[in-house]
């Protein structure tokens, strides 16, 4: 593959974060822009990183699957569709046992389905695209900034809070794919090269909590026969304080998710004893969740989901706070000096109400790689990327927040799925 000047200038790129955004970016830069010398730093251990049961499920739709097709080689998209559960409809469970079926027309509208796929399996499919040695797990997570390399002034070195270089090669470009509380977004937002001692807090400064805890998992069990295959189910407590979802996540696998609203500054997680890592202990989390659901009415659907939760191994239970990065649009997605570019939740964390986080991470990877492929200059490529992504991400954040807020009040927001799905790589 002949390389653009921008791609040659990106040789030696370091990606920080091995979630969907970081892995997709590594695959895209290699396969589309022809950047071969990439290192991906992931804070979690090798064991955590290779756990295909990590997380719960990601929902991929036509936009994310088109991006995935663009950035990967081989028939990965079909593999992902085959390993997940293709969505054919949503069923709203009403109080009193009635239900309303809303067919999912995505496949007939676009030729591409929506699929729910085990999150850890999606991560492993992306990781398999990368050559051995590219991903460094157990990476130090104390990155606080960067400074011009003493050996080569066209490159920078990652530094810790005291300004000392980390034990990493220097790089012309750092891709911040370090999730919601991104250090790199804080560096871009603050127009600085070192967050110093402030680095831990600065990463979350612009993040707001949406007032809901989402507890979820995928379990090796199918929903009972009375539930329609290929359909997701949803029920809401009358006051909107609890939402209960379940759906297909692949052969014999079911996804469940419980969304719990906090009230009066007391969060559901606060009541759960913490382990030595200061995180809520999963055994207690599961018990508290079951206790909460058992206070709701004894509807057969809720009982089926309680059964799924009981059958879920404790370690497989995953929780996420609803969070968004509020400053989206007040800064671009790259630093002015052209050293940092943001991707995935690090670039644009928004509410999960449309299930678009993984799709947008894949779109970011496809877009940045195409910009680098097509530019004569790395700085121009980053500018084009920010321009191409910002408006869409700002709109998605607003629509997701609107949908989440209305759902809490039991109201329906305008469904913008058609706009979301029509994305194509330019
Ligand atoms: C273990 C896990 C399970 C998840 N499961 C689900 C799920 O089931 N459903 C769902 O909708 N979403 C899930 N998510 C979140 C979802 O992946 C994201 O919202 C979305 O896909 C965007 O991904 P991302 O790569 O931008 O961010 P993330 O998925 O948050 O990935 C960021 C990665 O960066 C790493 N990292 C952070 N700081 C550093 C550092 N300083 N140095 C090195 N590495 C660093 C983190 O360990 C993490 O792996 C999960 C995330 C994780 C990390």
């Amino acid at each position: 593959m002949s390389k653009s000047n921008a791609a040659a200038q990106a040789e030696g790129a370091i990606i920080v974060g091995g979630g969907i955004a970081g892995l997709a970016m590594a695959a895209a830069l290699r396969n589309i822009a022809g950047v071969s010398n990439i290192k991906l730093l992931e804070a979690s251990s090798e064991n955590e990183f290779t756990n295909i049961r990590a997380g719960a499920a990601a929902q991929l739709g036509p936009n994310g699957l088109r991006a995935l097709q663009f950035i990967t080689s081989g028939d990965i998209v079909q593999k992902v569709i085959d390993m997940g559960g293709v969505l054919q409809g949503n069923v709203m469970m009403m109080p009193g046992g009635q239900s309303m079926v809303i067919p999912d027309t995505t496949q007939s509208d676009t030729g591409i389905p929506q699929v729910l796929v085990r999150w850890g399996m999606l991560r492993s499919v992306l990781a398999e695209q990368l050559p051995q040695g590219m991903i460094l797990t157990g990476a130090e997570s104390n990155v606080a900034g960067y400074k011009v390399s003493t050996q080569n002034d066209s490159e920078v070195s990652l530094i810790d809070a005291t300004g000392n270089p980390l034990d990493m090669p220097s790089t012309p470009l750092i891709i911040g794919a370090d999730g919601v509380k991104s250090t790199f977004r804080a560096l871009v937002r603050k127009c600085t090269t070192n967050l110093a001692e402030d680095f831990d807090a600065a990463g979350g400064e612009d993040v707001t909590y949406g007032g809901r805890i989402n507890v979820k998992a995928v379990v090796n069990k199918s929903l009972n026969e009375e539930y329609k295959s290929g359909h997701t189910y949803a029920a809401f407590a009358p006051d909107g304080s609890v939402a209960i979802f379940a759906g297909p996540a692949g052969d014999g696998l079911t996804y469940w998710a419980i969304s719990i609203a906090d009230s009066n500054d007391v969060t559901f997680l606060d009541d759960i004893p913490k382990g030595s890592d200061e995180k809520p202990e999963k055994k207690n989390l599961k018990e508290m969740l079951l206790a909460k659901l058992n206070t709701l009415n004894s509807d057969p659907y809720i009982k089926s989901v309680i059964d799924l939760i009981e059958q879920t191994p404790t370690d497989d239970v995953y929780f996420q706070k609803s969070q968004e990065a509020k400053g989206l649009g007040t800064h671009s997605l790259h630093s002015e000096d052209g050293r940092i570019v943001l991707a995935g939740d690090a670039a644009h964390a928004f509410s999960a109400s449309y299930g678009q986080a993984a799709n947008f991470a894949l779109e970011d990877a496809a877009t940045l790689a195409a910009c680098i492929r097509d530019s004569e200059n790395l700085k121009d490529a980053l500018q084009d990327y920010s321009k191409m992504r910002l408006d869409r991400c700002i709109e998605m954040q607003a629509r997701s927040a609107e949908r989440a807020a209305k759902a809490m009040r039991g109201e329906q927001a305008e469904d913008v799925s058609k706009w979301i799905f029509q994305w194509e790589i330019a």
Side-chain angles (χ1 to χ4, degrees), residues 58 60-62 64-66 68-69 75-87 107 110-118 121-122 125 248-251:
L60 295 182
L65 291 171
R66 272 189 215 106
L68 183 65
Q69 178 74 52
D75 211 354
I76 301 292
V77 168
Q78 196 54 49
K79 188 171 172 183
V80 167
I81 292 173
D82 291 346
M83 70 170 54
V86 170
L87 302 184
Q107 177 133 33
T110 68
I112 308 172
Q114 287 210 84
V115 62
L116 257 181
V117 61
R118 199 164 201 162
M121 284 167 80
L122 178 62
V125 164
D251 203 12

Side-chain angles (χ1 to χ4, degrees), residues 15 21-31 35 38 40 130 134 175 365:
I15 299 172
L23 293 165
M25 198 56 92
L29 290 182
R30 264 172 64 79
N31 296 339
V35 179
I38 301 166
L40 187 152
L130 305 177
M134 181 183 280
I175 297 168

Side-chain angles (χ1 to χ4, degrees), residues 390-411:
L390 263 177
D391 285 352
R392 179 163 168 86
C393 294
I394 292 168
E395 181 73 13
M396 190 70 253
Q397 187 178 59
R399 296 300 191 152
S400 301
E402 180 198 25
R403 190 183 229 203
K406 288 202 167 168
M408 296 251 287
R409 299 195 297 268
E411 296 167 20

Side-chain angles (χ1 to χ4, degrees), residues 145-193:
Y146 59 101
K147 68 178 180 192
V148 175
S149 158
T150 46
Q151 272 100 44
N152 177 349
D153 65 7
S154 63
E155 295 191 343
V156 290
S157 304
L158 292 170
I159 55 172
D160 67 15
T162 61
N164 284 325
L166 300 181
D167 187 17
M168 286 293 150
S170 59
T171 173
L173 178 68
I174 304 162
I175 297 168
D178 50 340
V180 180
K181 295 189 174 176
S182 169
T183 297
F184 294 97
R185 185 175 68 250
L187 289 165
V188 170
R189 195 165 45 83
K190 290 172 180 271
C191 289
T192 183
T193 56

Side-chain angles (χ1 to χ4, degrees), residues 10-328:
E11 276 298 334
I14 289 187
I15 299 172
V16 182
I20 305 305
L23 293 165
M25 198 56 92
L29 290 182
R30 264 172 64 79
N31 296 339
I32 304 304
V35 179
S36 50
N37 182 11
I38 301 166
K39 286 279 174 240
L40 187 152
L41 313 182
E42 167 52 43
S44 60
S45 67
E46 174 79 21
N47 271 352
E48 289 165 331
F49 183 73
T50 51
N51 178 11
I52 59 160
R53 292 153 71 114
Q59 185 172 322
L60 295 182
N63 51 324
L65 291 171
R66 272 189 215 106
L68 183 65
Q69 178 74 52
F70 180 71
I71 65 176
T72 51
S73 53
D75 211 354
I76 301 292
V77 168
Q78 196 54 49
K79 188 171 172 183
V80 167
I81 292 173
D82 291 346
M83 70 170 54
V86 170
L87 302 184
Q88 292 158 23
N90 303 302
V91 184
M92 192 71 82
M93 306 300 277
M94 312 290 193
Q98 285 153 319
S99 60
M100 184 171 73
V101 181
I102 306 157
D104 187 317
T105 59
T106 312
Q107 177 133 33
S108 56
D109 292 345
T110 68
I112 308 172
Q114 287 210 84
V115 62
L116 257 181
V117 61
R118 199 164 201 162
W119 187 89
M121 284 167 80
L122 178 62
R123 177 174 64 175
S124 94
V125 164
L126 285 168
E128 280 164 15
Q129 286 276 306
L130 305 177
Q132 281 214 328
M134 181 183 280
I135 302 171
L136 305 176
T137 52
E140 289 180 88
S141 55
N142 55 345
V143 184
Y146 59 101
K147 68 178 180 192
V148 175
S149 158
T150 46
Q151 272 100 44
N152 177 349
D153 65 7
S154 63
E155 295 191 343
V156 290
S157 304
L158 292 170
I159 55 172
D160 67 15
T162 61
N164 284 325
L166 300 181
D167 187 17
M168 286 293 150
S170 59
T171 173
L173 178 68
I174 304 162
I175 297 168
D178 50 340
V180 180
K181 295 189 174 176
S182 169
T183 297
F184 294 97
R185 185 175 68 250
L187 289 165
V188 170
R189 195 165 45 83
K190 290 172 180 271
C191 289
T192 183
T193 56
N194 188 1
L195 299 171
E197 300 300 338
D198 215 18
F199 81 99
D200 220 5
E205 256 171 15
D206 61 341
V207 174
T208 57
Y209 173 50
R212 294 193 89 95
I213 304 289
N214 301 312
V215 189
K216 44 192 172 175
V218 166
V219 57
N220 265 313
K221 191 176 186 322
S222 301
L223 266 174
N224 299 342
E225 276 164 13
E226 69 253 37
Y227 297 99
K228 289 158 84 74
S229 72
H231 284 64
T232 56
Y233 283 78
F236 298 86
D239 62 356
S241 62
V242 185
I244 301 144
F245 305 96
D251 203 12
L253 299 176
T254 304
Y255 164 79
W256 59 260
I258 313 299
S259 173
I260 300 166
D262 289 324
S263 56
N264 304 329
D265 296 332
V266 179
T267 87
F268 177 70
L269 293 181
D270 283 347
D271 289 339
I272 299 173
K274 311 277 182 299
S276 53
D277 58 359
E278 291 303 306
K279 291 186 182 154
E281 283 193 342
K282 289 198 172 176
K283 183 170 170 293
N284 294 300
L285 175 65
K286 185 174 154 181
E287 278 166 11
M288 293 274 290
L289 182 66
L290 287 166
K292 179 103 190 164
L293 292 180
N294 278 312
T295 64
L296 303 177
N297 68 30
S298 57
D299 178 289
Y301 166 65
I302 296 176
K303 278 194 166 154
S304 300
V305 177
I306 289 175
D307 188 36
L308 291 175
I309 298 171
E310 281 170 341
Q311 308 272 331
T312 304
T314 302
D315 280 348
D316 291 0
V317 177
Y318 175 75
F319 68 89
Q320 256 175 333
K321 286 182 167 185
S322 58
Q323 289 178 320
E324 54 179 294
K326 272 295 189 194
L328 189 56

